[in-house]
C-alpha cells in the first residue's frame, strides 16, 4: 500500500482566479540533473479519489508571472515533511508560514522615526540610459514592505513620476521600444507600491493618459495595445442631462479610466500580488462615493432626470439612456455607508423613483425593462416597506394591471428569456415584498394585515392566472360530479411554460408557509389545490415535484380545515395515480410521494389516514418495498379498536346506570331513620349522577371522533 502521507492533489490557478484540479499523485523531493537543483516531483496515480483538504495541509507558490500552483496533502504529516524540506533547501525557518523575508519589527520602528523629508532610496537620474536600472530598482523592492515604503516616499518627494512620464513621451517619439518596455515595468511596479499619494499624481488629468500609454507596451506582447485610442475615441461619455459642475465631470472621467486600468489593462494579479492593488480598489471606491454625493446634492439635475424619464414626449433612445444612468447611479450608491445610503434612497423616493419605474417597467423596450428591474431590486433590497407603502397608496383603479406589483408580475410572466433569468429575479423580489418577516407592526396598524389583504384582493389573481389557464377543466366539466379529478388539462409540454409554472408554485408554496389565513381562504375559494395537482400529469418531473411540494406544505400544517378540503375533494387520487404510474422506478418523484404518506403516518393525522385506507388501500397494499402503507393500515386498525372500546364502555356504563336508578328508587321506599335515608339518598344520587355524566360524555366523544 502506498504512503498516504505523500499523497497530494495538484492545483493550478486559471485566468478566472479559480483553482483547476490537475490530478492526484505522490510527491517527493529529489535532485534533478537537468534543472541542477532540488525539485518537487508528483507522480500521477490512476485513482483520483481524495478527501477534502484543510488549510494546514496546503502549500501554495508561484513559479512564474501569473502561474500559481498548490499542493493539497491528504495528511498533515506529509505536508509538514515537505515544508521542512523546502525550508531546508532555502535556508528558512520551518516555523514560519511563508518563505518571504519576514519584517523586522525593530527595523520598522526605526523606519517610522526617520523624517519624511529624508532620501530613503537613491533614485537614478531620470534618463533613457538609466531606465533599465530604474526598472530593476522598482521590481526589486516589491517583495519587501519596508523597501516599498521607502521607494514610494522617494518618488513623492522628488516629483519623479512626472519626470518618468515626460521620458515616456520622448521614448515614444523616437520609438525606443526597449525604453518603453522598461517604462511598462516601472509604471506597473509603481502601481503595485499601493500608495494613494502616488495615485493622486498618476491619475490626474495631465498624467493619466501617459500612464495608460506606458501600460500599452507590455514586453510580452508583439504589438502594443491601443488603450488610449479606445479611451479617447471609442468610449464616449454620454451626459443624459448636461453636467454643469466641472469638478463632477472630471471625477467621473477619472473613475472610468482608473476602473479601466484595473479591469482591462493590468494583468490578473497572482495570489501574492492581490493585496498590492488594495489601495487602487479603495481609490475607485471613494471616487464613486464622492460622485454619488455630488449628484445627490444637485437637486436640479436629478429632478430633470426624473421629469424626462416619465415624459411621454421623451424619445425611446433618450429614455434608455436615462434608465441606464439611474441604474448606474444606484449601483454606485452601494459604496455608501448605511446612513448615507438611507439618505440616498429617500432622496430618490422623494423625487418619484417608484412612479417612474411603474411607467418604464411596462414599456416594450427589453433593455429599458431590464434596467428598470435592476433599479427596482435595489429599492426592494433597501426598503421593502417603502415599496409596499407606495403600492397601497396607489389609487385603486378599475384596471388592476396598472398597479406596480401587477406590472412586476406581468413582466415575470412574459419574460422572453428561455432560461427565465429575469423571471427568477422578479420572483425573488416578489417573495421579499410578501414576506411577513420584514413587515413592520405598530400600535395603530399592522403592515402585514393591510398589505396581505391588498395583495390577495388586487394581485393574487394576476399571479395565478397562468396556473389556472394551464390547468383548465374540460368543457363538459359541469357534468362531472363535485370532487372528481377527471380534468382535461392544457398540461404544459413547453419547457419555458413549465419553468414559469414552477416559479409560480414556488411562490404559492411560500405563501402557504407564511400567510396562513389569506392563502387558506384563497385556496378554498378557488379550489386551487385541485388545479395544482393537475400538474402531476406533466412530463416535466420538476413541475410534478413542485405540485407535490405545494400539497406537502399544506398537509404539513396539520390543519383540519385543509384536511377536510382534501378529503371532500378526493385530492389524494392524482398523487396516488402518479405513484402507480411511476411503477417500480426508484426516483425522486417516488421518494417524495412516499415521504408525504410517511409524514401522515408518523404524525398520525387520523382523518387523512382513514380516508387513504378506506379509499386507496387496495391499490397500495401491493407496495411492499417500504412499510409506509402497511403502517397506515396499522394506524387505521388501532384507531378502529379504540373506537370500538369506547363504544363498548359506553354501553356497559349505560346498563350500570339503569341498575343504579332502579336500586335508588327501591331504596327510597325503605322505612329507615330519616337522617340515614337522607344521607344514603345523597350518596347514591352523587354516584349515579357521576356515572350518568361519564356515559354521556363517552357517547358525545365517540360521535365527534
Amino acid at each position: 500500500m502506498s504512503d498516504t502521507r505523500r499523497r497530494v492533489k495538484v492545483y493550478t490557478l486559471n485566468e478566472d482566479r479559480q483553482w483547476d484540479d490537475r490530478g492526484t499523485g505522490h510527491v517527493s523531493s529529489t535532485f534533478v540533473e537537468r534543472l541542477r537543483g532540488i525539485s518537487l516531483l508528483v507522480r500521477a496515480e490512476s485513482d483520483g479519489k481524495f478527501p477534502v483538504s484543510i488549510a494546514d495541509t496546503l502549500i501554495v507558490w508561484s513559479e512564474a508571472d501569473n502561474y500559481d500552483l498548490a499542493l493539497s496533502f491528504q495528511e498533515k504529516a506529509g505536508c509538514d515533511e515537505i515544508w521542512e524540506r523546502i525550508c531546508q533547501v532555502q535556508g528558512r525557518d520551518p516555523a514560519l508560514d511563508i518563505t518571504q523575508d519576514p519584517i523586522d519589527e525593530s527595523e520598522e520602528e526605526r523606519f517610522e522615526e526617520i523624517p519624511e523629508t529624508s532620501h530613503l532610496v537613491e533614485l537614478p537620474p531620470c534618463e533613457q540610459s538609466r531606465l533599465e536600472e530604474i526598472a530593476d530598482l522598482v521590481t526589486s523592492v516589491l517583495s519587501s514592505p519596508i523597501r516599498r515604503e521607502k521607494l514610494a516616499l522617494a518618488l513623492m518627494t522628488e516629483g519623479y513620476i512626472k519626470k518618468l512620464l515626460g521620458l515616456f513621451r520622448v521614448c515614444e517619439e523616437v520609438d525606443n521600444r526597449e525604453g518603453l518596455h522598461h517604462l511598462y515595468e516601472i509604471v506597473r511596479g509603481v502601481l503595485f507600491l499601493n500608495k494613494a499619494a502616488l495615485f493622486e499624481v498618476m491619475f490626474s488629468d495631465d498624467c493619466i493618459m501617459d500612464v495608460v500609454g506606458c501600460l500599452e507596451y507590455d514586453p510580452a506582447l508583439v504589438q502594443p495595445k491601443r488603450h488610449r485610442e479606445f479611451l479617447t475615441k471609442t468610449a464616449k461619455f454620454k451626459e443624459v442631462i448636461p453636467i454643469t459642475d466641472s469638478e463632477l465631470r472630471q471625477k467621473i472621467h477619472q473613475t472610468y479610466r482608473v476602473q479601466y486600468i484595473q479591469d482591462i489593462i493590468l494583468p490578473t494579479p497572482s495570489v501574492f500580488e492581490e493585496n498590492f492593488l488594495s489601495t487602487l480598489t479603495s481609490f475607485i471606491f471613494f471616487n464613486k462615493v464622492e460622485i454619488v454625493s455630488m449628484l445627490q446634492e444637485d437637486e436640479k439635475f436629478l429632478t430633470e432626470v426624473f421629469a424626462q424619464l416619465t415624459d411621454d414626449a421623451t424619445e425611446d433612445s433618450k429614455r434608455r439612456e436615462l434608465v441606464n444612468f439611474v441604474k448606474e447611479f444606484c449601483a454606485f450608491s452601494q459604496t455608501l455607508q448605511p446612513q448615507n445610503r438611507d439618505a440616498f434612497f429617500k432622496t430618490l423616493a422623494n423625487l418619484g423613483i417608484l412612479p417612474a419605474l411603474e411607467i418604464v417597467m411596462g414599456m416594450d423596450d427589453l433593455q429599458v425593462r431590464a434596467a428598470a428591474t435592476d433599479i427596482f431590486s435595489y429599492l426592494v433590497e433597501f426598503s421593502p416597506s417603502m415599496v409596499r407603502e407606495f403600492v397601497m397608496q396607489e389609487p385603486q383603479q378599475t384596471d388592476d394591471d396598472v398597479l406596480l406589483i401587477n406590472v412586476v408580475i406581468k413582466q415575470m410572466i412574459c419574460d422572453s428569456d428561455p432560461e427565465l433569468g429575469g423571471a427568477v429575479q422578479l420572483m425573488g423580489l416578489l417573495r421579499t415584498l410578501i414576506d411577513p418577516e420584514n413587515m413592520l407592526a405598530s400600535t395603530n396598524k399592522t403592515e402585514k394585515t393591510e398589505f396581505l389583504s391588498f395583495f390577495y384582493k388586487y394581485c393574487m389573481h394576476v399571479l395565478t392566472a397562468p396556473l389556472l389557464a394551464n390547468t383548465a377543466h374540460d368543457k363538459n366539466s359541469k357534468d362531472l360530479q363535485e370532487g372528481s379529478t377527471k380534468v382535461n388539462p392544457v398540461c404544459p409540454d413547453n419547457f419555458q411554460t413549465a419553468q414559469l409554472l414552477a416559479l409560480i408554485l414556488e411562490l404559492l408554496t411560500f405563501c402557504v408557509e407564511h400567510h396562513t389565513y389569506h392563502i387558506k381562504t384563497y385556496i378554498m375559494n378557488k379550489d386551487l389545490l385541485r388545479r395544482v395537482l393537475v400538474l402531476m400529469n406533466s412530463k416535466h418531473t420538476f413541475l410534478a415535484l413542485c405540485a407535490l411540494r405545494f400539497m406537502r406544505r399544506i398537509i404539513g400544517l396539520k390543519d383540519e380545515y385543509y384536511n377536510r378540503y382534501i378529503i371532500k375533494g378526493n385530492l389524494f387520487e392524482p398523487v396516488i395515480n402518479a405513484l402507480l404510474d411511476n411503477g417500480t422506478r426508484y426516483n425522486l418523484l417516488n421518494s417524495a410521494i412516499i415521504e408525504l404518506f410517511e409524514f401522515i403516518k408518523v404524525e398520525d393525522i387520523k382523518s387523512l389516514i382513514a380516508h387513504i385506507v378506506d379509499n386507496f388501500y387496495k391499490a397500495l397494499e401491493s407496495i411492499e418495498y417500504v412499510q409506509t402503507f402497511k403502517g397506515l393500515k396499522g394506524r387505521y386498525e388501532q384507531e378502529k379498536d379504540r373506537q370500538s372500546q369506547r363504544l363498548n364502555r359506553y354501553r356497559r356504563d349505560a346498563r350500570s346506570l339503569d341498575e343504579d336508578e332502579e336500586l335508588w328508587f327501591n331504596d327510597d321506599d325503605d322505612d329507615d331513620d330519616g337522617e340515614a335515608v337522607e344521607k344514603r339518598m345523597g350518596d347514591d344520587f352523587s354516584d349515579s349522577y357521576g356515572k350518568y355524566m361519564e356515559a354521556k360524555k363517552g357517547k358525545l366523544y365517540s360521535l365527534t371522533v
Side-chain angles (χ1 to χ4, degrees):
M1 182 176 177
S2 59
D3 184 6
T4 57
R5 288 182 307 144
R6 296 288 188 94
R7 195 158 180 260
V8 296
K9 264 190 180 296
V10 180
Y11 295 91
T12 58
L13 198 66
N14 62 30
E15 294 179 353
D16 297 324
R17 313 302 299 155
Q18 301 294 321
W19 289 101
D20 292 332
D21 184 352
R22 295 299 186 185
T24 307
H26 291 81
V27 66
S28 61
S29 59
T30 57
F31 181 85
V32 178
E33 182 66 30
R34 179 173 56 85
L35 300 175
R36 297 185 178 279
I38 300 294
S39 299
L40 293 179
L41 295 180
V42 179
R43 299 187 184 280
E45 64 175 27
S46 57
D47 180 13
K49 295 180 181 178
F50 193 79
V52 177
S53 64
I54 56 176
D56 58 357
T57 61
L58 199 66
I59 296 177
V60 183
W61 74 96
S62 182
E63 287 200 353
D65 289 343
N66 300 321
Y67 189 67
D68 297 65
L69 297 97
L71 288 181
S72 178
F73 288 74
Q74 181 170 333
E75 295 185 9
K76 185 177 183 298
C79 183
D80 293 341
E81 186 178 331
I82 292 297
W83 179 249
E84 289 177 6
R85 179 62 171 155
I86 292 171
C87 293
Q88 179 184 355
V89 171
Q90 295 187 355
R92 308 287 182 178
D93 181 4
L96 297 176
D97 288 335
I98 58 174
T99 57
Q100 176 182 315
D101 288 328
I103 298 174
D104 187 320
E105 292 183 2
S106 60
E107 180 189 351
E108 192 174 37
E109 291 171 0
R110 288 196 303 273
F111 170 66
E112 289 174 354
E113 295 171 0
I114 299 176
E116 292 187 3
T117 55
S118 304
H119 291 278
L120 304 174
V121 171
E122 187 74 30
L123 290 170
C126 200
E127 300 170 357
Q128 288 192 55
S129 59
R130 308 295 289 273
L131 285 174
E132 183 176 2
E133 186 180 345
I134 299 170
D136 290 342
L137 172 63
V138 172
T139 305
S140 67
V141 305
L142 295 179
S143 61
S144 169
I146 297 300
R147 297 179 67 197
R148 286 205 306 268
E149 292 281 350
K150 294 178 179 179
L151 177 60
L153 188 56
L155 290 170
M156 287 185 286
T157 55
E158 296 187 9
Y160 207 78
I161 299 295
K162 290 191 176 183
K163 295 178 184 178
L164 284 170
L165 297 177
L167 200 55
F168 161 73
R169 291 190 291 272
V170 173
C171 288
E172 195 168 41
E173 285 177 6
V174 300
D175 196 23
N176 179 359
R177 286 302 175 94
E178 185 179 355
L180 292 170
H181 289 164
H182 290 316
L183 282 163
Y184 168 87
E185 298 290 350
I186 294 168
V187 170
R188 179 176 177 273
V190 172
L191 289 173
F192 281 171
L193 293 178
N194 211 25
K195 285 296 172 185
L198 290 175
F199 292 162
E200 291 291 347
V201 176
M202 298 174 75
F203 300 148
S204 61
D205 280 352
D206 55 343
C207 291
I208 190 166
M209 295 312 291
D210 287 333
V211 170
V212 172
C214 290
L215 294 172
E216 291 179 351
Y217 291 93
D218 185 346
L221 301 176
V222 177
Q223 292 295 328
K225 295 286 188 178
R226 304 173 76 173
H227 297 301
R228 284 172 294 175
E229 182 179 333
F230 173 83
L231 290 172
T232 55
K233 297 180 181 179
T234 307
K236 299 295 182 183
F237 176 59
K238 294 181 180 179
E239 295 184 62
V240 291
I241 303 293
I243 296 175
T244 56
D245 188 336
S246 59
E247 183 183 353
L248 173 59
R249 189 187 297 107
Q250 184 272 334
K251 188 69 67 176
I252 293 172
H253 284 308
Q254 183 189 60
T255 304
Y256 176 79
R257 290 165 179 168
V258 176
Q259 188 89 60
Y260 182 87
I261 290 173
Q262 184 185 49
D263 295 343
I264 306 299
I265 300 179
L266 289 177
T268 304
S270 69
V271 171
F272 306 104
E273 295 173 337
E274 283 181 344
N275 291 332
F276 287 176
L277 295 175
S278 59
T279 305
L280 182 62
T281 303
S282 299
F283 184 92
I284 296 170
F285 172 87
F286 288 114
N287 262 20
K288 290 181 178 180
V289 170
E290 199 169 343
I291 290 169
V292 171
S293 300
M294 294 170 77
L295 284 172
Q296 188 178 338
E297 292 167 3
D298 191 344
E299 292 187 7
K300 183 178 179 182
F301 176 85
L302 290 177
T303 302
E304 183 64 22
V305 168
F306 286 104
Q308 291 196 24
L309 191 60
T310 55
D311 189 350
D312 293 337
T314 303
E315 295 181 359
D316 290 345
S317 58
K318 179 70 171 179
R319 183 175 281 106
R320 191 180 304 121
E321 292 176 0
L322 288 164
V323 173
N324 284 327
F325 166 77
V326 176
K327 172 189 168 183
E328 193 72 16
F329 193 31
C330 290
F332 272 33
S333 73
Q334 301 307 295
T335 62
L336 298 174
Q337 295 297 317
Q339 181 179 349
N340 296 332
R341 191 159 61 246
D342 289 354
F344 168 81
F345 280 110
K346 286 176 182 175
T347 299
L348 291 187
N350 294 334
L351 289 168
I353 182 70
L354 286 167
L357 281 179
E358 195 170 53
I359 294 172
V360 297
M361 288 186 79
M363 293 181 173
D364 295 332
D365 191 315
L366 291 176
Q367 292 184 3
V368 169
R369 289 212 311 261
T373 299
D374 289 337
I375 298 169
F376 185 64
S377 69
Y378 285 122
L379 294 171
V380 171
E381 181 183 347
F382 163 68
S383 175
S385 292
M386 181 182 76
V387 178
R388 285 191 287 259
E389 184 179 358
F390 167 77
V391 169
M392 288 189 289
Q393 289 175 352
E394 288 184 281
Q396 306 306 319
Q397 303 177 26
T398 54
D399 185 5
D400 293 339
D401 290 347
V402 301
L403 298 174
L404 176 60
I405 289 190
N406 286 345
V407 171
V408 172
I409 293 172
K410 285 181 64 179
Q411 187 169 334
M412 181 184 86
I413 292 170
C414 300
D415 187 4
S416 59
D417 179 8
E419 299 297 326
L420 294 186
V424 172
Q425 181 185 12
L426 289 168
M427 190 274 289
L429 297 175
L430 284 171
R431 182 161 59 182
T432 301
L433 288 174
I434 64 175
D435 186 356
E437 294 297 322
N438 60 48
M439 295 184 185
L440 305 175
S442 62
T443 53
N444 299 325
K445 61 178 183 178
T446 305
E447 183 185 16
K448 175 181 176 181
T449 303
E450 290 187 356
F451 180 75
L452 291 182
S453 298
F454 171 90
F455 180 78
Y456 279 86
K457 182 177 181 180
Y458 295 104
C459 308
M460 184 57 104
H461 68 281
V462 181
L463 177 64
T464 57
L467 176 64
L468 298 178
N470 282 280
T471 55
H473 285 67
D474 184 329
K475 292 180 181 178
N476 300 320
S477 59
K478 293 181 180 178
D479 300 331
L480 297 173
Q481 294 181 356
E482 183 181 0
S484 171
T485 56
K486 292 182 179 179
V487 294
N488 179 23
V490 187
C491 209
D493 287 336
N494 178 284
F495 180 72
Q496 189 169 348
T497 304
Q499 278 189 305
L500 174 63
L501 294 182
L503 285 178
I504 294 172
L505 279 174
E506 185 177 339
L507 207 55
L508 291 174
T509 303
F510 178 84
C511 293
V512 168
E513 290 181 294
H514 295 87
H515 292 174
T516 57
Y517 166 75
H518 292 88
I519 188 65
K520 184 193 299 183
T521 304
Y522 191 84
I523 289 173
M524 302 290 187
N525 290 340
K526 298 293 184 181
D527 197 12
L528 188 62
L529 180 55
R530 178 188 310 282
R531 304 295 286 273
V532 168
L533 290 175
V534 169
L535 300 176
M536 294 294 295
N537 299 322
S538 173
K539 72 175 185 179
H540 301 286
T541 305
F542 71 86
L543 184 56
L545 286 167
C546 286
L548 183 65
R549 189 181 303 117
F550 181 70
M551 185 179 191
R552 173 66 176 80
R553 290 292 183 274
I554 290 175
I555 291 175
L557 297 175
K558 296 188 285 188
D559 186 322
E560 278 302 313
Y561 285 101
Y562 275 130
N563 294 345
R564 287 197 290 272
Y565 162 67
I566 291 170
I567 292 169
K568 183 179 179 182
N570 195 29
L571 297 182
F572 276 109
E573 183 179 339
V575 177
I576 290 172
N577 287 340
L579 176 64
L580 297 175
D581 291 343
N582 191 62
T584 58
R585 286 181 295 235
Y586 182 61
N587 53 22
L588 191 56
L589 181 63
N590 174 276
S591 298
I593 294 175
I594 289 175
E595 189 279 333
L596 171 68
F597 289 108
E598 185 69 22
F599 175 82
I600 295 170
K601 183 194 77 173
V602 170
E603 296 297 325
D604 196 17
I605 305 176
K606 294 179 174 57
S607 57
L608 296 183
I609 291 174
H611 173 71
I612 293 166
V613 174
D614 285 341
N615 294 277
F616 303 106
Y617 187 70
K618 286 185 179 179
L620 298 171
E621 63 180 341
S622 62
I623 299 177
E624 296 181 342
Y625 54 86
V626 290
Q627 298 301 306
T628 300
F629 301 108
K630 287 186 177 180
L632 286 171
K633 178 72 169 176
R635 292 274 192 185
Y636 175 77
E637 296 295 344
Q638 289 174 6
E639 184 60 24
K640 282 187 67 176
D641 291 343
R642 279 195 292 269
Q643 295 283 356
S644 178
Q645 290 174 9
R646 288 194 191 99
L647 184 60
N648 292 335
R649 188 181 305 117
Y650 164 70
R651 289 172 177 169
R652 185 169 58 252
D653 290 345
R655 285 196 301 271
S656 179
L657 178 61
D658 292 340
E659 293 172 359
D660 287 342
E661 285 177 342
E662 184 178 351
L663 180 62
W664 184 73
F665 283 114
N666 291 336
D667 289 343
D668 189 38
D669 295 333
D670 292 345
D671 295 329
D672 295 332
D673 180 76
E675 183 176 347
V677 169
E678 183 178 350
K679 183 175 184 301
R680 182 179 175 186
M681 285 176 63
D683 293 342
D684 288 344
F685 176 79
S686 177
D687 293 339
S688 300
Y689 181 78
K691 292 180 179 179
Y692 171 76
M693 290 305 295
E694 285 179 7
K696 188 176 181 181
K697 287 180 182 177
K699 180 179 179 182
L700 180 62
Y701 178 75
S702 66
L703 290 174
T704 57
V705 174

